[in-house]
Every structure is written in structure tokens, then in C-alpha cells.
Amino acid sequence: MHFGYKGAFRRLLQLSCHLSHPKFNNNIIFKSSTDFLGTNFSTLRRSSRLRSPLRHSYAFCSPPIPLHCSHQYLTPSVSLLFFSPHTSLKFYGCPSRSNQCAAIMDLKGVLEILEEFAPLSLAESWDNVGLLVEPSKSRPVKTILLTNDLTPAVMDEAEVIKSDLIISYHPPLFRPLKRLVQKDWKQQLAVRAIEAGIAVFSPHTSWDSVKGGINDWLVGGVGSGHVLVLHQALSSATQRHRLDFTAKNQEELNNILMLLRETENSETFHYSILRNEEGGQRVILTCPSSALTPVVQTVLGNDTASQSLSITQVQQPPLLGCGQGRHSVLHEPISLAVAVQRIKMHLGLPHLRLALGVQKTLESVVQSVAVCAGSGASVLQGVSADLYITGEMSHHEILDAVARGTSVILCEHSNSERGFLPVFKEKLAARLPDSVTIAISKRDRDPLEVV
């Protein structure tokens, strides 16, 4: 939006309000920076003159906020939002006789919401995440089925409830397929999804990594504490390199900069210039890695600059709170027996597997806990903690941990993940219109049982 046209947009908005039926209510979905929202939310509440509290949700970072107001209060409610550079906004009407708005949500819109919750760039490089099956014919998303694993039983369930989208935490398609035939059960699932027009999406390790995701939920089951990420996630922004070189004088520097400006994507270069006592010009330049070769060739064309040139890779900034695994120092130490009971309750399980660390008992004190949902041995390896919690580890990996005095709780792979689905359901429901139904699979379960 170009904000020089505020008057035109205001007239357009007022015209839209005038033409809409007065018996209609309006649902407004806007996305705001946290600072802007905190500063202006009370102003918005006053200006909208709503008789009932605004319905809003802070479930996601930079949250889109659903706001419900009657027709006559639409214009003052959105004026503050429409003309702020800190917000993006869309709105739709629904009959005032019901708060159930019949807004149409398409697959693209749902995928955008999923990306905002947990960007796919947070997933591990080996993982296969995102939209795995996309129907050829577009249709509104009315029913979403959440599951930890997409099995034939879960697919039966999806077909019965006429699901439009299955969000399967584990990717049902992981390795490349050369054919789609009926001999392989995963290929059968892909064919069935395509024939039924059901989209399939998998977030997997992006949910493990994101702040407020599965691992934060899992470690929270032990108790409150100071939580740190075990393997820090880094920004997925374009990789950049830093070049440091010196030009003999201002004229020489100008020639180098002129040639650099002719380089493709030169608008993405950033540089600073420092003058030394001898009159030389030191240049510190950063450029995208994709532009490194032509930039280096340009600098090497100058004798003085080429002799002083040094190149380093710019380290990507960390994404605070995101990454694989979590380590918590509990605010109040507990016994190992209490930790076991808390995890049983948190996961809704009657049984767990426990390996006691050397010279540890059920009464031993647990001050620090390290967790990784699923198969966590590679993430937990070498981490100092009183207790490891994960889904599965190999026999020898458990022996290594026990020998270091660390006790280990194993919940079975998917049992350490599945309990997050109800949490995510609430987060997703807060972002979707009431016309979308979200169901958690009743047939999804860990394949292992204690008998």
C-alpha cells in the first residue's frame, strides 16, 4: 500500500461499508508488530466503541488478530489499522444473527498461517517438510485433520470426515519415489490422498525447533525452569561474505567503487570506508555469497587492493529460542520419582521406560533436564544433565548416558510428540475463521504397546 493515497483508501473503505448490508457484522484480521499492537490496542478498543470485548489472540509472533465488530463501527475500527505501516489487514462480512462467519479459507491461506507459526526454514536439512500432496483442483479448506503419523487407519478417518487437509507431523513421504504403485503402503496413501483431493502437509523438525513448539512443550512437563536451546538455529537469510581491502588514495577508491557498482546485484552490497594516517582508504564490504566471485575479480584488478584483500564468511545471526532440543535448570529441584510421574501425566501415559544413572535412585535429585522429542540421542549426546527425556535411544546410547550418571526416560518415539497436537489445535484455531473445523485423529497411536 502507498500511504500517499490514504484519502482514496478511506473513501473506498467508507463506500464498502455503505454498500454492505447493515445487518452484517464484520470480522477483521490484521497483522501487527508487537510494539504497535501494545501501544495502540487500547486506542483501537475505544475508537471502535465495541459493546463487547475484542476477540484477539497472541498465539503467534507478530500475531494476526481477529476482531469482531458490528457494521456501523467498522470504519473507526479499521482506520488506525488501515493506515499504519506496521499492520496488514483484511476483512470480511458475516450475518449478524450468528458469530459463525462463513469466510472461505483456501489451502494457500492455511499454508501461510502454518509458515508463520513455524517457518519451514527451521527444519533440518535432511528433512522432508512442507506441502507433500497438493490436489489438482482447488477447493475451500473446511476440515483439517491433525495426526502424528499418517497411516492407513488415519487415512480412512480423513476420508470419513471429508478432510480437505491432513497435517501429519511426520512426513509420510520421506525418500524420493520413482513410481506410485499399490505394493508400498506409503505410496498407497499418496494415491488415496490424490484421488480424494486431500492435501497433505508435514512440519516435522520445524515444529521441534520453533520457540513454543514441541520441545518447549515437552520440557515444560517436568516443571518451570530456565530453558536454553541445545542446538541453536541460525537465520536462513542469504549467506554473505565480508571483504576487507585498502585503496592507495581517493581516486583509486572511486575507480574500484565505480566498477563494483556495475556488478550484478550491486544494490545489495554494503560498505564502509575508513581513512588511515597515510591517506589510504580502507574498505569493509559485505556482499551476497552469490556475488562473491565478480566482486573478488574486481578488487583483484587493483594492485594495492589485491595485496591487502582478506575474505571472511559472515556468520548468520541466531534465531533466539529456536533450535533442536532443550535444556532446563528447574526453578525447584525434584526427585526422579516426581519427574517420572509428571512426565506420565504430561504425556497421558501409564508406563515409561527408565534407566537409572550410575549411583542414582528414584529419590535422587533432578535439577537439570535435557529433552528432545522423537529419537533424541544425537541431540542429547554429551549434554550435561541429571535427566534425559526422549522417545527412543539405542541400547549403547543409553549405557553411555547412564555411565555418566545421567538417568534416561524413554516414552516411545511418537508418544513424546503426539501430546502437542491439542496445543497446536488451539493455536491454529485462533488463526482460522469459524468455518474451518480442526479435528485430532482418534486412530493415530504409537505402534508399540506394553503388554
Side-chain angles (χ1 to χ4, degrees):
M1 179 185 296
H2 297 286
F3 291 96
Y5 299 98
K6 291 182 180 180
F9 278 112
R10 187 182 300 276
R11 288 192 295 273
L12 177 61
L13 175 62
Q14 290 172 340
L15 178 61
S16 299
C17 295
H18 177 72
L19 294 177
S20 64
H21 197 282
K23 291 185 179 181
F24 270 57
N25 286 333
N26 292 276
N27 278 304
I28 306 164
I29 303 249
F30 69 93
K31 182 176 180 180
S32 165
S33 70
T34 303
D35 291 341
F36 176 84
L37 182 61
T39 303
N40 294 282
F41 197 78
S42 60
T43 303
L44 175 64
R45 185 191 298 272
R46 290 194 303 271
S47 67
S48 64
R49 294 176 292 174
L50 295 178
R51 297 175 184 174
S52 59
L54 300 179
R55 294 193 291 120
H56 61 281
S57 168
Y58 293 89
F60 294 76
C61 296
S62 190
I65 306 296
L67 177 106
H68 183 77
C69 65
S70 59
H71 161 82
Q72 62 266 39
Y73 300 136
L74 176 61
T75 301
S77 296
V78 302
S79 294
L80 177 64
L81 305 174
F82 227 141
F83 306 113
S84 167
H86 302 281
T87 63
S88 61
L89 178 148
K90 63 181 179 180
F91 64 95
Y92 46 85
C94 63
S96 58
R97 63 178 178 271
S98 171
N99 286 334
Q100 300 295 317
C101 189
I104 295 176
M105 190 55 128
D106 60 8
L107 179 60
K108 180 181 178 182
V110 178
L111 294 179
E112 289 174 352
I113 290 174
L114 294 173
E115 175 71 14
E116 288 176 356
F117 170 66
L120 296 178
S121 59
L122 290 175
E124 297 297 290
S125 59
W126 48 261
D127 208 354
N128 188 39
V129 295
L131 186 62
L132 304 184
V133 176
E134 181 179 12
S136 59
K137 295 181 180 179
S138 177
R139 69 184 191 190
V141 175
K142 298 179 181 178
T143 303
I144 299 174
L145 181 64
L146 306 181
T147 184
N148 204 80
D149 293 285
L150 180 54
T151 61
V154 174
M155 180 58 77
D156 290 341
E157 184 181 12
E159 291 174 343
V160 168
I161 67 173
K162 295 181 170 33
S163 176
D164 303 295
L165 169 64
I166 299 172
I167 299 178
S168 175
Y169 167 72
H170 284 136
L173 302 177
F174 192 79
R175 296 179 179 85
L177 299 177
K178 293 185 177 180
R179 57 184 59 84
L180 290 174
V181 295
Q182 294 299 308
K183 293 182 180 181
D184 178 85
W185 71 275
K186 289 191 175 182
Q187 294 176 36
Q188 289 177 11
L189 292 177
V191 172
R192 289 179 63 181
I194 293 170
E195 290 176 341
I198 302 174
V200 179
F201 175 91
S202 174
H204 202 201
T205 52
S206 66
W207 278 14
D208 296 347
S209 177
V210 72
K211 184 177 182 180
I214 287 181
N215 279 312
D216 282 313
W217 164 81
L218 182 59
V219 77
V222 188
S224 64
H226 179 62
V227 179
L228 295 175
V229 175
L230 290 178
H231 295 265
Q232 180 66 57
L234 302 178
S235 169
S236 60
T238 303
Q239 184 65 57
R240 300 181 70 84
H241 277 78
R242 166 177 160 156
L243 292 80
D244 193 329
F245 61 90
T246 301
K248 184 166 54 178
N249 51 47
Q250 186 65 47
E251 181 181 358
E252 194 173 82
L253 174 62
N254 290 340
N255 289 335
I256 295 174
L257 293 179
M258 180 182 67
L259 293 173
L260 287 173
R261 291 189 187 99
E262 296 174 358
T263 305
E264 187 176 358
N265 296 324
S266 62
E267 68 276 2
T268 64
F269 300 172
H270 304 286
Y271 64 87
S272 58
I273 302 172
L274 304 173
R275 184 189 300 272
N276 59 33
E277 295 179 357
E278 292 77 22
Q281 307 282 342
R282 180 188 175 193
V283 180
I284 301 174
L285 180 146
T286 62
C287 68
S289 298
S290 58
L292 181 61
T293 298
V295 170
V296 170
Q297 290 175 341
T298 299
V299 175
L300 291 179
N302 180 276
D303 291 339
T304 305
S306 64
Q307 294 175 12
S308 60
L309 176 63
S310 66
I311 304 172
T312 55
Q313 189 175 46
V314 178
Q315 185 175 1
Q316 297 287 62
L319 297 174
L320 298 181
C322 297
Q324 297 301 322
R326 297 294 186 269
H327 183 277
S328 177
V329 177
L330 300 178
H331 292 146
E332 296 183 6
I334 57 177
S335 70
L336 183 55
V338 170
V340 169
Q341 291 304 316
R342 287 185 179 180
I343 290 299
K344 282 183 177 180
M345 184 176 298
H346 190 57
L347 302 183
L349 298 175
H351 304 286
L352 300 170
R353 290 191 288 168
L354 172 66
L356 290 172
V358 170
Q359 297 183 343
K360 297 297 175 65
T361 70
L362 287 175
E363 300 308 315
S364 296
V365 174
V366 174
Q367 175 74 65
S368 57
V369 183
V371 309
C372 180
S375 182
S378 61
V379 174
L380 299 176
Q381 184 177 14
V383 175
S384 177
D386 298 320
L387 176 64
Y388 288 171
I389 301 173
T390 186
E392 59 179 326
M393 293 174 69
S394 74
H395 173 78
H396 295 287
E397 290 163 344
I398 295 171
L399 289 180
D400 288 341
V402 166
R404 293 193 302 270
T406 299
S407 299
V408 179
I409 290 178
L410 299 184
C411 321
E412 305 308 342
H413 190 113
S414 67
N415 288 339
S416 65
E417 305 156 337
R418 185 171 290 103
F420 181 71
L421 293 179
V423 178
F424 177 72
K425 177 182 177 181
E426 291 186 9
K427 293 175 180 286
L428 184 59
R431 301 290 305 278
L432 294 173
D434 296 335
S435 60
V436 180
T437 299
I438 307 172
I440 297 176
S441 174
K442 297 178 181 178
R443 304 194 65 181
D444 173 43
R445 56 178 53 86
D446 195 276
L448 291 173
E449 294 182 10
V450 177
V451 296

